[in-house]
Amino acid sequence: MKNSKPTIYDPKFLPNNIYSGVPSWLNSPVIESDEDLKKLDVAISGIPWEGGCTIGGYSSCTEGPKAVRSASIRYTGFLPDFGIDSFDYLKVADYGDVATQNGSYDFTFSQIRERTQKLIENNIIPITFGGDHSISFPIISEIAKKHPKKVAVLHFDAHFDNYEQYGDDLYARCSPFYRLYNDKNIDPTKIAHIGIRGPRNHKEEFENAKKFGANVYTSIDVKERGWKEVIKEALRIISKNTEFIYITICSDALDAAFMPQGPQDMAGLTSYELCMMVHEAGLAGAKGFDFVEIYPYTNSLQTAAHVGNWLALYYLNGLAQKVKENK
């Protein structure tokens, strides 16, 4: 494996490729054999997978890993915000994509579990780019086998993603947390859903979170209490008697204004709030991360039409509450 550190502004720059035409993440070294794993702290994986599409049609989230890697070569590991270069302290390499098979949860999830197990056994932090949100279930479930009842999860999302099933689909992108709630190695009270909001949630999902004892922080909580108070409280609660903190982020945790190539959900987190909360989780020692649900091929999502629907629905909700109070 080549020695490499991300670099920009270098006229002699030549990208490392994970496969033809796709650079490795931040031009990091590419893992070429299992022997390379012994030298690492962090491994980057892509999972170009889309299961049952709950929004109708192809979303292009399968192109997410490629898009993330292609954009990444602009960046270094240094943040002037904190005065630290991550790559001065962490050895990072790109492990390429997990093998997927279109339409087959069994094959794809078994491959995800195999990759996750290999990384965890080598004490390597997995960073994963999806793909739809269903991929988080096999990753977290596999980690929990090694840390039964001691895995904490920070879930940033507009939606609970804890629907019992989508039609006959048990593993759709709207259901990974229902699968985790019922996983024998997971304690649901160590899960925090952060950024929840809006009319694309079902009442059943809200009730499932309460039923299983998951911790819920709405977007309103973040806005009114402040991001710092919310993340510190969430970490304090879910980290009790915990060995492993995992971060999973759906792009629609962000307000639509900050995520034009993702699900259009208003009244959400700013990119600053989300970055700062993830940074706090890193400071707390989180050992895994995934980011899912970006749609690279999407251009216009008719955002104004979406906003109009949201405003009408929020108005009607307030009106209904007023009527209820006057009864």
Side-chain angles (χ1 to χ4, degrees):
M1 181 173 67
K2 300 176 184 177
N3 291 321
S4 179
K5 189 174 179 179
T7 181
I8 56 175
Y9 312 133
D10 181 356
K12 297 179 181 179
F13 165 76
L14 291 173
N16 297 316
N17 286 336
I18 56 164
Y19 48 84
S20 180
V22 180
S24 66
W25 188 72
L26 268 74
N27 200 40
S28 59
V30 176
I31 297 170
E32 298 171 349
S33 69
D34 287 351
E35 190 67 22
D36 293 333
L37 296 174
K38 298 176 182 178
K39 309 169 187 176
L40 290 184
D41 299 306
V42 179
I44 309 301
S45 296
I47 306 180
W49 163 259
E50 179 164 31
C53 189
T54 61
I55 58 175
Y58 171 66
S59 73
S60 81
C61 71
T62 54
E63 299 299 310
K66 183 188 297 185
V68 169
R69 287 185 173 108
S70 296
S72 75
I73 58 172
R74 294 186 60 183
Y75 305 119
T76 72
F78 176 70
L79 293 179
D81 325 37
F82 305 104
I84 291 176
D85 189 327
S86 303
F87 291 87
D88 286 340
Y89 301 93
L90 296 169
K91 295 177 182 177
V92 181
D94 196 318
Y95 206 176
D97 287 345
V98 174
T100 63
Q101 189 176 83
N102 187 33
S104 176
Y105 284 109
D106 288 343
F107 176 85
T108 302
F109 281 18
S110 69
Q111 293 297 305
I112 294 171
R113 287 180 179 276
E114 183 179 317
R115 169 72 60 91
T116 302
Q117 182 183 47
K118 185 177 290 187
L119 294 177
I120 297 305
E121 285 178 350
N122 284 278
N123 295 314
I124 296 171
I125 294 171
I127 291 182
T128 308
F129 298 110
D132 77 26
H133 214 160
S134 66
I135 68 170
S136 299
F137 165 59
I139 294 172
I140 298 169
S141 177
E142 198 62 30
I143 292 169
K145 289 180 181 178
K146 188 173 181 180
H147 305 275
K149 302 293 185 180
K150 293 184 182 295
V151 173
V153 182
L154 287 171
H155 170 216
F156 296 95
D157 205 319
H159 315 106
F160 289 103
D161 287 356
N162 65 5
Y163 210 49
E164 184 173 357
Q165 61 190 76
Y166 184 72
D168 294 330
D169 191 345
L170 295 175
Y171 299 104
R173 70 218 307 160
C174 58
S175 298
F177 281 88
Y178 193 85
R179 304 279 79 79
L180 288 170
Y181 289 168
N182 288 279
D183 189 301
K184 67 180 181 180
N185 294 315
I186 292 288
D187 178 356
T189 67
K190 290 183 170 62
I191 295 173
H193 304 283
I194 302 176
I196 304 299
R197 65 193 189 279
R200 289 208 298 133
N201 288 281
H202 291 264
K203 185 178 180 182
E204 176 185 325
E205 294 175 279
F206 179 71
E207 292 173 343
N208 281 338
K210 291 196 297 182
K211 173 184 173 182
F212 286 95
N215 304 276
V216 178
Y217 297 91
T218 65
S219 182
I220 291 175
D221 291 326
V222 176
K223 300 298 183 183
E224 296 191 355
R225 296 177 56 188
W227 67 264
K228 187 174 291 186
E229 180 180 332
V230 166
I231 192 61
K232 287 186 178 296
E233 179 180 294
L235 284 166
R236 176 176 55 79
I237 291 172
I238 67 174
S239 296
K240 187 177 180 181
N241 193 28
T242 297
E243 296 174 349
F244 198 110
I245 302 172
Y246 188 86
I247 304 164
T248 177
I249 305 170
C250 179
S251 71
D252 60 33
L254 291 168
D255 188 275
F258 296 89
M259 184 48 63
Q261 287 185 303
Q264 296 293 275
D265 291 278
M266 319 306 158
L269 306 180
T270 67
S271 56
Y272 173 78
E273 290 165 337
L274 186 54
C275 283
M276 291 302 102
M277 286 191 281
V278 170
H279 184 263
E280 286 294 318
L283 288 174
K287 299 176 184 177
F289 169 103
D290 71 52
F291 180 69
V292 299
E293 301 285 353
I294 65 168
Y295 310 152
Y297 288 175
T298 300
N299 293 313
S300 173
L301 290 176
Q302 300 295 327
T303 301
H306 286 289
V307 172
N309 283 300
W310 278 63
L311 293 174
L313 288 165
Y314 271 78
Y315 161 70
L316 289 172
N317 191 271
L319 183 61
Q321 184 172 334
K322 180 69 172 177
V323 171
K324 179 182 178 181
E325 291 172 353
N326 288 337
K327 281 189 175 179

